[in-house]
Amino acid sequence: MVKKRPYIIAGPCSIESKEQFADIIPYLNANKQVDLIRCGIWKPRTRPGGFEGVGEDGLKWIKDYKAQNPNVSFAVEVAQPIHIELCLKYNIDVIWIGARTSSNPFSMNELSESLKGIDIPTMIKNPPIPDVKLWIGAIERIKNVGITNIAAIHRGFFTHNNYGFRNNPLWEIPIEIKRTHPDLPLICDPSHISGNRQIVQSVSQIAMDLNFDGLMIEVHPYPEKALTDSEQQLSPAEFDNLLSNLIIRKNSNTTPIELNLLRKKIDMLDQELLAILSQRIDVSKQIALIKADNNLSVLQINRWQEVLESRLHIAKELGISLEFVQKIMEQIHTESVRVQNDILKES
Ligand code: PEP
Ligand code: MN
């Protein structure tokens, strides 16, 4: 596993039916850039009642397809020892452990036990909570039972504010894994980080810029009809487009990884800044409605004076230029007055 860079894993979030399998697998197999096909067979759903996968039937379809196409390789998510048993029975090439499972040391112990004496390539996704030790612990449990071919998959984290991502990428965590485990292949799953297909390309590019070894991307023959993760799956045409636009930079020392990491931090901070500005505008609109009801003028000069003074005081404490903060506050205040005036005009 992971013999070329970038190593491309692609496939549907879930195998849904024999027809959907036949609509997507031959395309992925024919795509020369795809190294491994991913297939969800048992689906961990956050809430009960949803589609939970086709189970063993899907493994039979894979086996039949492989009988006709011996060079194709498949990866399947496992969460219980019975899943491993069935994957071995149907000669699945690679298994992966999902985020919900890697977060549970009891489950990891059980899975490791059933992998003893078997050397099947295994990929381990990060747990949903941003705890680097929990992820490393899951990897160690698999390594300790003798699995030699291991890769880590970064699929983002659940945080208080995900800044527009389904799962916050917190790039510093996979970078830390890379620093402490330089020989462990690191794959990025931009689909589960993004949660919507519009940003899968840009997240994939960030992963390439950060020297990830590969990508795991969800591809569905007709994403809008997908039974799971419909928003984030790419159509074959979108996937082709992503691959052809992906810039693979040389793994050289010219752009230090720290520089890329810091740039990503700036990107995230700007996103945060804009989200906060938008919240501030919303509050300002609520204030305008109260002013309208009470027949108060938009500009309350004493209040503005207090706001400015208090913000300059904070700026001083934080050690940022007072001139700069004054300019920003004036811009924000001007916009606030404009927005409130618009509301008062309408009321
Ligand atoms: C998946 O790969 O479809 C999946 C369930 O992902 P995760 O474990 O990252 O949530
Ligand atoms: Mn999925």
Side-chain angles (χ1 to χ4, degrees):
M1 192 178 44
V2 194
K3 291 188 195 92
K4 79 174 219 300
R5 209 182 157 278
Y7 185 76
I8 303 291
I9 308 167
C13 177
S14 310
I15 289 292
E16 300 169 1
S17 64
K18 214 169 174 175
E19 294 66 39
Q20 178 241 19
F21 184 94
D23 281 344
I24 194 67
I25 304 302
Y27 154 77
L28 294 166
N29 186 27
N31 188 322
K32 293 282 157 281
Q33 283 174 278
V34 174
D35 300 289
L36 179 65
I37 299 179
R38 61 150 284 151
C39 286
I41 292 285
W42 300 281
K43 298 307 296 178
R45 306 310 301 275
T46 305
R47 297 190 58 197
F51 172 72
E52 293 193 326
V54 293
E56 194 171 348
D57 283 349
L59 296 177
K60 288 184 189 149
W61 304 332
I62 294 177
K63 190 177 171 207
D64 291 346
Y65 187 79
K66 283 179 64 154
Q68 306 296 318
N69 301 273
N71 294 328
V72 67
S73 299
F74 282 86
V76 165
E77 175 179 350
V78 296
Q80 294 171 341
I82 179 71
H83 298 160
I84 295 183
E85 207 179 288
L86 286 167
C87 282
L88 294 171
K89 177 174 163 196
Y90 288 93
N91 281 326
I92 295 303
D93 305 273
V94 174
I95 54 171
W96 88 83
I97 295 164
R100 289 155 195 81
T101 313
S102 70
S103 65
N104 183 341
F106 288 126
S107 297
M108 288 310 301
N109 279 344
E110 257 181 20
L111 294 181
S112 318
E113 276 306 308
S114 48
L115 284 170
K116 252 188 199 155
I118 299 154
D119 200 5
I120 182 165
T122 304
M123 306 188 288
I124 301 142
K125 287 201 177 193
N126 65 265
I129 58 161
D131 179 346
V132 72
K133 287 198 185 129
L134 197 58
W135 192 5
I136 290 176
I139 295 167
E140 283 170 348
R141 284 184 161 92
I142 295 296
K143 214 182 229 168
N144 288 349
V145 290
I147 302 285
T148 51
N149 206 340
I150 299 182
I153 305 177
H154 167 235
R155 48 77 81 198
F157 300 89
F158 183 83
T159 56
H160 170 62
N161 184 345
N162 282 346
Y163 304 110
F165 297 101
R166 175 179 179 188
N167 292 300
N168 192 341
L170 299 179
W171 296 103
E172 54 274 33
I173 294 186
I175 296 296
E176 178 61 9
I177 294 272
K178 194 85 196 146
R179 190 183 69 77
T180 53
H181 298 71
D183 297 328
L184 177 72
L186 185 60
I187 310 281
C188 178
D189 172 348
S191 304
H192 289 89
I193 291 176
S194 304
N196 77 73
R197 60 188 134 269
Q198 281 73 32
I199 59 170
V200 173
Q201 168 91 49
S202 64
V203 174
S204 303
Q205 189 60 55
I206 293 174
M208 290 297 96
D209 294 347
L210 291 173
N211 284 329
F212 274 63
D213 298 285
L215 298 170
M216 181 195 248
I217 299 176
E218 287 188 337
V219 184
H220 192 285
Y222 16 83
E224 45 314 312
K225 292 200 185 132
L227 299 183
T228 57
D229 290 350
S230 146
E231 312 263 289
Q232 72 195 29
Q233 299 202 62
L234 302 186
S235 65
E238 286 163 338
F239 177 61
D240 285 344
N241 191 45
L242 182 149
L243 291 181
S244 55
N245 287 309
L246 207 58
I247 303 162
I248 311 298
R249 300 183 214 283
K250 277 199 213 95
N251 197 353
S252 75
N253 296 328
T254 48
T255 316
I257 200 159
E258 289 78 7
L259 176 61
N260 282 329
L261 183 58
L262 290 172
R263 285 181 173 156
K264 300 312 163 207
K265 272 194 177 162
I266 290 277
D267 293 349
M268 300 230 358
L269 286 168
D270 282 353
Q271 201 165 342
E272 219 173 310
L273 261 178
L274 293 175
I276 289 174
L277 272 179
S278 136
Q279 283 173 26
R280 195 185 191 285
I281 292 169
D282 284 345
V283 174
S284 178
K285 286 180 181 165
Q286 291 168 33
I287 291 178
L289 294 174
I290 299 175
K291 283 179 178 166
D293 282 351
N294 292 280
N295 205 18
L296 292 170
S297 66
V298 163
L299 183 63
Q300 300 282 323
I301 198 73
N302 294 347
R303 166 69 185 157
W304 165 231
Q305 184 70 17
E306 276 166 29
V307 166
L308 186 59
E309 276 170 20
S310 98
R311 296 343 175 230
L312 289 174
H313 181 73
I314 298 171
K316 203 170 168 194
E317 304 240 299
L318 292 172
I320 14 181
S321 150
L322 300 190
E323 206 181 316
F324 166 67
V325 171
Q326 173 141 0
K327 271 193 218 147
I328 289 183
M329 288 312 303
E330 281 166 1
Q331 289 294 326
I332 291 176
H333 184 247
T334 306
E335 176 62 5
S336 206
V337 168
R338 188 191 67 77
V339 166
Q340 292 197 350
N341 268 331
D342 280 355
I343 291 179
L344 260 75
K345 256 187 255 151
E346 281 165 22
S347 66

